[in-house]
DNA sequence: TTGGAAAAATGAACAGCGTTCATTTATTTT
DNA sequence: AAAATAAATGAACGCTGTTCATTTTTCCAA
């Protein structure tokens, strides 16, 4: 009940208010429109105030990218109950792509934009990436226990699989699927995924 | 020898001068520093002059991204002599990754940044992507003629393969390989490529 | 060769950006 | 109530892409 405690809570509330405003503008009107001034206006504070709660704009979007990972991991959670690791691996892949498709801007922020990486405390690391990747690695280890991917290095294997999915999502996010003039994005994503799964299952 | 002809040539020369300056700044100091003002200063003209030769900044970088594709295709050219299509496919993949690694910024511009896509004449298409993709599709058709990838749709198959490579390159370009704290980027790229090749060869 | 038309280049101006900081306002403590 | 601390402000700095009235240069005909 101490004042210092309330202050701390208020500080956190204000951070959350800023983040919510930033997220809303970002998701609605894109990164460009999510300027400090626009965020400040939305929460009815002056631009300078934002800097009392975040180091810079990158820090705001680093926090938002963390939210994204939390949301993504929440979608993965139910899959922990899938017994067969290969089945779980495939299910995770589909959820991953589903997330990218249904949260295009957020996926872009998490895996493509530079802002969140520039705001990493330790500039040579990527905390959220590391933690999320461990989920994939764990599943792959279980797959190996069942005789799949035998003899393969987990780092390289996970990178190969992650890249295949990210590639499809990234081409989608950055409008490179337009290279296929007469194929719908959704068809590319869906069938690309199916093809990769069937390829992986044969390996 | 007509004056109108000289004018046309001079116009083209000026465009080239602008592009060279833009490219130099872009490759040396990044997209952010490649501002219209900086480009203008480098070629000793006023900022307004640039707009007499290009519609906007995006148009400049669209032209540069075309240069990138020309360069990439030039690196692929020698591979036309590889007789076996599967062997050629793999060789092309390695050249693709080599290009991305040795021309990080340029690859980023070609396959990740928004600028060149925003400047497409027909906003729903991607000319250079389409043309380049046809090379891949051609090889895949030849592979199918030899019995590989039988029954698979060329669009979906090419997308799957392209995505796998792009995914690795994109994660590298946008510093997401930092998710692997103790693995070097080059090792990820090299081994990721090898793994994917071995997976594809088994399919 | 000169005068007028056409083309090319200019650079100030506009509206925006991230960020800083002296100043003001609000809150807490003495 | 006064002093000390904390929070918020908003003008200012130096950038950005882009536009456009004005100036300069080039061209062609008289």
């Amino acid at each position: 009940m101490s004042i210092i405690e309330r202050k701390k809570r208020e500080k956190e509330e204000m951070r959350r208010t800023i983040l919510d405003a930033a997220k809303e503008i970002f998701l609605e009107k894109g990164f460009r429109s999510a300027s400090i001034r626009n965020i400040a206006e939305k929460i009815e504070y002056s631009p300078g105030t934002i800097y009392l709660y975040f180091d810079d704009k990158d820090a705001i979007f680093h926090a938002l990218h963390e939210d994204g990972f939390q949301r993504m991991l929440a979608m993965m959670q139910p899959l922990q109950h899938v017994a067969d690791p290969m089945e779980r691996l495939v299910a995770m892949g589909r959820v991953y792509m589903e997330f990218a498709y249904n949260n295009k801007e957020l996926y872009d922020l998490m895996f493509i934009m530079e802002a969140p990486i520039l705001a990493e405390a330790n500039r040579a690391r990527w905390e959220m990436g590391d933690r999320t990747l461990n989920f994939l690695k764990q599943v792959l280890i279980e797959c190996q226990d069942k005789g799949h991917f035998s003899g393969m290095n987990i780092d390289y294997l996970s990178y190969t699989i992650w890249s295949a999915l990210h590639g499809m999502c990234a081409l989608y996010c950055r409008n490179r699927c337009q290279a296929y003039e007469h194929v719908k994005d959704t068809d590319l994503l869906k069938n690309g995924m199916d093809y990769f799964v069937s390829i992986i299952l044969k390996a």
Side-chain angles (χ1 to χ4, degrees), chain A:
Chain A
M1 258 315 191
S2 72
I3 286 182
I4 186 170
E5 221 173 278
R6 174 172 60 77
K7 291 266 170 165
K8 195 179 165 189
R9 195 181 59 233
E10 281 176 353
K11 188 121 193 164
E12 202 43 57
E13 279 170 5
M14 183 61 160
R15 276 180 62 94
R16 198 60 253 175
T17 303
I18 293 170
L19 287 180
D20 288 343
K23 188 182 222 159
E24 193 170 322
I25 299 174
F26 169 63
L27 294 180
E28 225 166 74
K29 303 186 186 168
F31 188 75
R32 291 202 129 113
S33 295
S35 64
I36 298 292
R37 281 175 179 80
N38 286 343
I39 295 168
E41 194 186 16
K42 183 163 207 103
I43 63 174
E44 295 176 297
Y45 277 84
S46 74
T49 305
I50 307 267
Y51 288 88
L52 301 174
Y53 298 90
F54 290 94
D55 280 353
D56 51 30
K57 196 187 174 185
D58 290 338
I60 295 175
F61 284 90
H62 183 276
L64 285 187
H65 116 292
E66 279 184 337
D67 284 5
F69 273 99
Q70 210 163 329
R71 188 148 149 192
M72 189 178 196
L73 290 175
M75 284 179 65
M76 298 274 186
Q77 212 54 48
L79 305 181
Q80 297 300 326
H81 297 90
V82 178
D84 179 56
M86 276 305 267
E87 205 177 308
R88 190 157 78 249
L89 175 66
V90 172
M92 282 173 65
R94 295 196 188 280
V95 167
Y96 183 94
M97 180 172 279
E98 198 87 8
F99 177 86
Y101 185 75
N102 293 327
N103 307 275
K104 192 172 174 177
E105 301 301 324
L106 198 50
Y107 182 88
D108 197 313
L109 176 65
M110 291 159 68
F111 295 101
I112 306 179
M113 290 189 192
E114 305 192 313
I117 289 288
L118 293 174
E120 274 294 315
N122 181 340
R123 287 284 295 270
R125 287 194 62 206
W126 183 29
E127 184 81 33
M128 295 312 291
D130 187 1
R131 273 163 48 187
T132 309
L133 198 54
N134 279 331
F135 277 81
L136 174 57
K137 290 184 189 171
Q138 276 305 317
V139 181
L140 290 176
I141 289 172
E142 287 185 54
C143 288
Q144 283 190 323
D145 291 343
K146 295 255 178 180
H148 299 97
F149 308 123
S150 65
M152 294 177 95
N153 175 291
I154 290 290
D155 281 333
Y156 301 148
L157 177 61
S158 62
Y159 179 64
T160 306
I161 294 174
W162 177 26
S163 292
L165 295 197
H166 172 65
M168 294 190 262
C169 299
L171 290 174
Y172 163 70
C173 283
R174 293 304 175 99
N175 296 107
R176 262 47 177 207
C177 292
Q178 291 180 3
Y180 297 88
E181 208 184 337
H182 300 109
V183 189
K184 279 184 294 183
D185 288 5
T186 49
D187 289 337
L188 286 173
L189 287 171
K190 195 193 170 326
N191 291 285
M193 182 73 194
D194 287 344
Y195 273 24
F196 184 68
V197 168
S198 72
I199 287 173
I200 278 291
L201 291 179
K202 278 179 210 154

